[in-house]
Amino acid sequence: MKSLTKLFAITSFITLSTEPVLAQQGESIPQGLSPSTMAITQDGKYGYVGFDLSEVVFKVRLADLTVEAVADLSRYFPIESEDIALDSSEEKLFVYSPTWRKLLVLDTNTMSVIHTIDSINVFSMIRSKYGPFIMTWGGGSVVTFVNTETYKLTDFEASGEFFLRILESNTNQDIWYVVSGKKPGNSELNVGIYDHKAKTWIRKVSLPTEARASSIVDLRVLPNERKAYVASFAGWSPEGIGYGWLHSVDLVSGEVKVVPIDGGAGCLEASPDNRWLYVGTG
């Protein structure tokens, strides 16, 4: 990406437009309200959509946005699902409920719960590129690796860090791209390249005041791993319009550029050719 002018804003995350599904007499059909998270299969065929205000997860065929199956999770009311992730086989979907502090494991074929992991704090989670793991963290110094085959939990701890966002390098399993503070309430907020094996920063860039006063909602690194982008949401104007910023961080020079985003930058995605950054706004 040569400049931040190559930026395309997307004003809606997803619209589920489907043909009506007819219920048999006496049956009820769960409905989704307030979609908050999505996981997409690597072939782009299916998307799994979680909801903040409904106890369901939709399996959506993306070619025509048909809802193929629904996981009814009303047993876990209120689930308030904000994080889901597919395992490497894409036969399991991990769904976190902050209310219950449970990580639910769904069979993606039947959309039924096949396992639960109790008493776990998850602020965010991603599928690891290196082995059968889901990486979770709870907004602290500990990153928990969940083995998706055995469900064994392994903790990694970096004393002094407060992990907010993590991405793995595409080429080096020891390298993470991280947004981290020192501790809650501390004004320091850093983004950069972190060697988790050595537990040390290779390059650390301090984010400006706008980011420190906002909620960090997403992190994206270009495929060539030369630039990182941090999305932050600051709040609401008196007119009820959200606002926030996009922070462009050159991981080579350390230069930071800030772009205000009407509606707030909610989610980010980079094009494979490193030329475009897509920004989902409120």
Side-chain angles (χ1 to χ4, degrees):
M1 182 176 293
K2 294 183 179 179
S3 72
L4 285 176
T5 58
K6 292 185 178 294
L7 181 149
F8 181 79
I10 302 172
T11 57
S12 62
F13 179 53
I14 183 171
T15 302
L16 297 179
S17 175
T18 66
E19 293 297 320
V21 179
L22 299 179
Q24 300 296 319
Q25 186 173 2
E27 285 186 337
S28 63
I29 298 177
Q31 302 296 313
L33 182 63
S34 185
S36 57
T37 182
M38 184 166 65
I40 298 176
T41 58
Q42 294 188 47
D43 62 7
K45 185 176 181 180
Y46 290 105
Y48 297 86
V49 184
F51 298 86
D52 185 45
L53 300 178
S54 296
E55 282 59 53
V56 294
V57 174
F58 284 178
K59 181 178 182 178
V60 181
R61 189 169 65 232
L62 296 178
D64 54 9
L65 298 183
T66 296
V67 179
E68 267 200 12
V70 178
D72 182 357
L73 304 176
S74 54
R75 175 182 176 183
Y76 301 98
F77 172 87
I79 193 169
E80 297 185 334
S81 174
E82 295 182 354
D83 284 286
I84 62 177
L86 287 162
D87 77 331
S88 57
S89 72
E90 300 188 340
E91 295 178 354
K92 297 176 183 178
L93 181 71
F94 288 74
V95 179
Y96 183 65
S97 170
T99 309
W100 292 79
R101 294 181 60 224
K102 288 179 180 288
L103 191 58
L104 311 179
V105 187
L106 275 60
D107 182 312
T108 56
N109 294 308
T110 65
M111 294 301 284
S112 59
V113 177
I114 58 174
H115 190 77
T116 61
I117 299 172
D118 298 323
S119 302
I120 182 171
N121 289 319
V122 177
F123 174 79
S124 190
M125 62 182 179
I126 59 172
R127 177 174 63 193
S128 175
K129 294 179 171 67
Y130 304 100
F133 302 105
I134 297 292
M135 295 170 57
T136 76
W137 55 96
S141 61
V142 176
V143 178
T144 299
F145 289 79
V146 181
N147 188 305
T148 59
E149 298 173 351
T150 65
Y151 306 119
K152 179 182 178 181
L153 306 183
T154 303
D155 287 342
F156 162 87
E157 185 170 6
S159 179
E161 298 300 335
F162 193 84
F163 294 113
L164 297 172
R165 297 288 164 183
I166 299 172
L167 292 174
E168 292 180 307
S169 168
N170 294 324
T171 58
N172 186 337
Q173 63 181 341
D174 295 339
I175 298 301
W176 292 348
Y177 296 97
V178 167
V179 179
S180 175
K182 284 299 180 184
K183 60 182 179 180
N186 191 311
S187 61
E188 185 175 353
L189 187 64
N190 301 306
V191 61
I193 307 169
Y194 184 80
D195 185 329
H196 73 90
K197 186 175 182 180
K199 295 186 179 182
T200 187
W201 288 88
I202 295 174
R203 174 172 287 280
K204 180 168 62 174
V205 179
S206 179
L207 288 172
T209 303
E210 295 89 345
R212 297 197 299 269
S214 307
S215 297
I216 303 301
V217 295
D218 205 1
L219 167 68
R220 194 62 55 196
V221 176
L222 293 185
N224 64 15
E225 303 189 6
R226 295 178 62 87
K227 283 189 177 181
Y229 295 88
V230 179
S232 64
F233 182 81
W236 303 91
S237 71
E239 295 77 22
I241 301 173
Y243 64 97
W245 290 273
L246 175 69
H247 308 269
S248 167
V249 181
D250 189 312
L251 295 171
V252 178
S253 68
E255 181 184 12
V256 179
K257 295 181 180 179
V258 182
V259 178
I261 303 292
D262 289 340
C267 56
L268 307 173
E269 190 57 73
S271 66
D273 62 4
N274 304 294
R275 296 182 58 207
W276 296 88
L277 183 75
Y278 299 92
V279 181
T281 66

